[in-house]
Amino acid sequence: MGRGAAAPLAGLAGMSGAAHPGDGASYAGRVARHVPGLKDLHRMAGLLLAERVPETGRVLVLGAGGGLELRAFAAAHPGWRFDGVDPSPQMIAQALDILGPAGYRVTFHQGYIDDAPEGPFDGATCLLTLHFLPREERLRTLRQLHRRLRPGAPFAMAHHSFPQADGQQDLWLRRNAAWLVSGGVPEAQAMAGMATMKERLPVLTPEEDAALLAAAGFREVQLFYAALTFKGWVARA
């Protein structure tokens, strides 16, 4: 994320599928409950990257705090090396704890997209992060990410993205709340989270998200993951 991304993150702890950067202690357990098919999302993202990332490739992971996708990628692709970017030292510490012996393969950078190395990288991901950013900052972040990739390198992103017009926003938020309740989250807590999302999370529609990827310079934009309010795309630089 860019330097300007810090403000939208404040006060969003506890939202479905997302956590404030300093909220590392409970992130792993919460995100696993709130994001349908989380482990499969990580596995799919790794497989899509592997279509073009070489066996000894270098991968940029934006929003790497918590370490869940890094752990999955490192286990499946022992030759890859990673640069993980996250604004929270607590989340980076949790990622290192989750990674265990594989932690030496990751170089962490505390900050946002402007703090990421210049690359060029063989691939990149940004999972469960970009929904925090308003449209213009999201586009700027995608452009900065794109220029750090080798030509043709794959990029996978996933986050909240669902229709917003004609009552669809409320419908999908109710569906998200129902998913949480079915998994054991108290109904009052689930509904409060949905109300906070509606008020404060700058969610875009899937069409808008795909258009931003194209505007940032990515091509061959394809949807690969759809789970209630979450969507995921793969594209090439």
Side-chain angles (χ1 to χ4, degrees), residues 80-224:
W80 289 1
R81 296 295 182 271
F82 306 92
D83 284 80
V85 181
D86 198 274
S88 168
Q90 294 91 344
M91 294 287 280
I92 290 174
Q94 184 182 2
L96 284 168
D97 184 60
I98 284 177
L99 284 164
Y104 79 95
R105 293 164 54 194
V106 183
T107 301
F108 281 100
H109 311 271
Q110 184 181 342
Y112 303 96
I113 185 60
D114 296 324
D115 301 294
E118 290 296 310
F121 291 92
D122 299 300
T125 65
C126 187
L127 305 181
L128 308 181
T129 297
L130 288 176
H131 52 212
F132 286 119
L133 304 185
R135 183 192 305 266
E136 289 305 313
E137 180 61 19
R138 198 178 305 195
L139 176 58
R140 193 193 76 83
T141 296
L142 288 170
R143 284 174 170 163
Q144 289 297 314
L145 198 154
H146 180 275
R147 74 175 186 83
R148 287 168 166 81
L149 292 173
R150 298 186 190 278
F155 169 58
M157 73 175 192
H159 48 259
H160 285 297
S161 182
F162 51 92
Q164 301 292 300
D166 300 325
Q168 290 293 300
Q169 181 188 46
D170 288 337
L171 173 63
W172 282 103
L173 287 173
R174 288 196 301 271
R175 288 169 171 171
N176 195 347
W179 164 261
L180 297 177
V181 172
S182 72
V185 175
E187 183 174 1
Q189 179 181 333
M191 295 307 297
M194 295 308 101
T196 303
M197 282 181 60
K198 183 177 181 179
E199 178 184 356
R200 304 190 64 179
L201 205 64
V203 173
L204 301 180
T205 68
E207 294 79 11
E208 290 171 324
D209 271 312
L212 285 186
L213 281 169
F218 289 96
R219 54 196 176 93
E220 298 182 21
V221 177
Q222 297 177 315
L223 184 74
F224 77 91

Side-chain angles (χ1 to χ4, degrees), residues 16-17 34-36 128 131 159-161 225-232:
S16 172
H34 288 199
V35 183
L128 308 181
H131 52 212
H159 48 259
H160 285 297
S161 182
Y225 169 78
L228 294 179
T229 59
F230 295 94
K231 305 294 183 293

